[in-house]
Amino acid sequence: MTRPTGAALRLTVFIGESDTWHRKPLYTEIVHRARAAGLAGASVFRGIEGFGASSLIHTSRLLSLSEDLPVAVVVVDTEERVRAFLPELDELVTEGMVTLDRCEVIRYVGRGGDRTENQGDPDMKGKKSL
């Protein structure tokens, strides 16, 4: 797994919660493939309301009870690694939208990482950093 810092690329895949790949949620397949590709990480966010190309509004409001809420899968890594992953999405995403945005990674620290205490900086006292 990479540990990006500085300039990076954010990949966002907008799909529906009910979209599937071989009877599994599509978002699960995207996350597992991102992990297998060695990308820095992936997160899935479930929306409470939205619409896409069909203009049909999907919502979590009680009266509507949509079973196809909007979902966003977000991956951030180096531009090279994200662009190398795009062919995987060509196979998986038949409906939805895929976007790329330039971003900057300020901090990327995992649990149990090789972090050290910042003892000399009073603003950072008790906080961990890379």
Side-chain angles (χ1 to χ4, degrees):
M1 177 167 44
T2 61
R3 288 194 175 263
T5 57
L9 203 59
R10 177 179 50 231
L11 164 71
T12 307
V13 182
F14 297 95
I15 54 177
E17 185 177 34
S18 66
D19 293 345
T20 60
W21 177 260
H22 296 260
R23 295 187 218 143
K24 291 189 328 189
L26 177 57
Y27 58 84
T28 298
E29 184 66 19
I30 294 169
V31 168
H32 286 231
R33 287 195 188 195
R35 185 170 186 249
L39 293 170
S43 297
V44 179
F45 300 94
R46 184 180 190 212
I48 57 172
E49 189 166 10
F51 71 94
S54 69
S55 294
L56 179 67
I57 293 183
H58 303 273
T59 180
S60 65
R61 284 182 277 163
L62 187 58
L63 297 176
S64 298
L65 292 176
S66 175
E67 294 181 6
D68 190 23
L69 293 172
V71 172
V73 182
V74 179
V75 175
V76 176
D77 206 322
T78 64
E79 182 170 355
E80 179 181 321
R81 289 179 155 296
V82 169
R83 289 196 183 278
F85 184 66
L86 292 178
E88 297 272 350
L89 298 177
D90 287 339
E91 177 186 1
L92 296 173
V93 181
T94 58
E95 293 180 359
M97 181 170 59
V98 178
T99 64
L100 294 173
D101 302 291
R102 296 192 188 287
C103 63
E104 183 177 356
V105 175
I106 304 298
R107 182 178 171 155
Y108 181 78
V109 180
R111 291 188 186 136
D114 53 344
R115 300 176 290 182
T116 58
E117 285 286 336
N118 286 308
Q119 310 237 347
D121 185 348
D123 291 335
M124 295 294 290
K125 191 170 186 176
K127 297 180 181 176
K128 307 277 184 179
S129 69
L130 288 173

